[in-house]
Amino acid sequence: MSLYTVICLTMLWGLIDTTEIQNDFYDSCKWKCLIFAQLWPGSFCMSFPRKSCHIPDQVNDWTIHGLWPNGHKFCNKSRHLTKEDIDNLTDKLFHYWPSLTNFEPFKFWANEWSKHGTCAACADSMSTPHKYFSLALQLRMKFVINKAFAAAGITPSCDKGYTLNHFHTALTDFGTHVNLQCYKSTGRQILMQIKIPLSKDFSIGCQPIEDNFNKSYYHPCTSKSEIYYYPLTSHPHDPCH
């Protein structure tokens, strides 16, 4: 066998090995569903001390809370977010994925990448920070909650409550496993967050692993009483007074 042939075969074997390694990496996702979570700023600050929560001036709609591979966190602590990674996305992130607490925005995004993005990165569509945050912004444009609510006659109000079924009917196009989460205050269920489960191909209908709600500020909204969808006001800690 000539030296040239040996070199060619060595290169070919190397390419095969590299491809197999890449395939193993992309197939190593242990999660089944992605959870795309959106927060309602109109009631968000009610669950926080007054000095630790604020609504930025540019925020007037549902915001992204996160894009989370279901059941997995902190998959690669060596992969850190840099400002250069998302430089051309920051304007949109400030508007659609802001920090609603005193957590500095970039630190908030860096934490989301470290905690959740590194687990999503095993999928090619989210393999870099830029892809991950871009995809979350695209999903925000796809799942527009306020439009779905408005079409169903659901509008923010301090006085009028809605049934859980009314909300689910409004969100029919978001899949069968949409999770509405509420915060209880003065005996009322107040809508706080909506989680939309997605399959790895971003289709709706994935059935996620149950959350541990003992460690959550919010719990699934129930059909036992009406649910209130508070308005977004200049008094976010007490929007109805």
Side-chain angles (χ1 to χ4, degrees):
M1 183 181 296
S2 69
L3 178 60
Y4 176 77
T5 302
V6 171
I7 292 173
C8 288
L9 288 173
T10 301
M11 291 176 65
L12 178 61
W13 291 331
L15 288 172
I16 292 172
D17 289 343
T18 300
T19 302
E20 289 178 347
I21 291 170
Q22 289 175 338
N23 288 337
D24 288 343
F25 174 71
Y26 292 129
D27 290 342
S28 68
C29 294
K30 302 299 182 183
W31 45 270
K32 176 184 176 182
C33 302
L34 279 168
I35 305 300
F36 181 55
Q38 295 189 52
L39 286 170
W40 175 237
S43 51
F44 177 76
C45 286
M46 294 182 67
S47 62
F48 282 83
R50 188 171 295 272
K51 293 183 178 180
S52 63
C53 184
H54 71 283
I55 307 301
D57 292 339
Q58 75 275 11
V59 173
N60 57 9
D61 202 344
W62 286 81
T63 65
I64 299 170
H65 190 182
L67 182 60
W68 310 324
N70 187 216
H72 292 266
K73 299 175 182 177
F74 297 109
C75 294
N76 188 343
K77 294 183 179 180
S78 67
R79 296 189 68 183
H80 301 293
L81 181 71
T82 68
K83 291 184 177 181
E84 290 73 20
D85 289 329
I86 54 172
D87 183 56
N88 66 338
L89 299 176
T90 52
D91 287 346
K92 289 184 178 179
L93 290 174
F94 276 121
H95 187 81
Y96 294 109
W97 199 342
S99 173
L100 302 181
T101 67
N102 289 340
F103 215 35
E104 192 273 328
F106 178 76
K107 289 183 179 180
F108 170 52
W109 301 327
N111 182 70
E112 287 296 305
W113 167 255
S114 177
K115 187 175 182 180
H116 304 289
T118 56
C119 299
C122 59
D124 183 58
S125 56
M126 297 177 284
S127 59
T128 67
H130 193 276
K131 286 183 178 181
Y132 173 74
F133 286 98
S134 293
L135 179 62
L137 290 168
Q138 291 172 31
L139 292 173
R140 174 58 183 76
M141 298 300 101
K142 179 178 180 179
F143 297 105
V144 185
I145 294 172
N146 67 326
K147 287 187 177 180
F149 281 176
I154 299 173
T155 56
S157 172
C158 291
D159 303 314
K160 179 177 174 56
Y162 300 90
T163 65
L164 180 62
N165 184 62
H166 197 162
F167 281 110
H168 274 300
T169 300
L171 300 173
T172 298
D173 291 343
F174 291 14
T176 56
H177 298 291
V178 172
N179 184 351
L180 281 75
Q181 295 189 302
C182 286
Y183 175 73
K184 290 187 177 181
S185 176
T186 62
R188 287 183 169 185
Q189 290 192 99
I190 301 166
L191 184 60
M192 188 75 67
Q193 179 168 252
I194 293 178
K195 292 182 175 181
I196 305 166
L198 304 170
S199 298
K200 289 181 180 179
D201 63 358
F202 311 112
S203 60
I204 59 174
C206 192
Q207 186 168 3
I209 300 170
E210 290 295 326
D211 289 313
N212 181 357
F213 290 107
N214 292 326
K215 298 181 179 180
S216 174
Y217 282 109
Y218 323 127
H219 292 75
C221 304
T222 72
S223 58
K224 294 180 180 180
S225 62
E226 290 187 323
I227 299 166
Y228 286 82
Y229 177 35
Y230 280 175
L232 177 55
T233 72
S234 57
H235 306 286
H237 294 89
D238 197 1
C240 291
H241 294 90

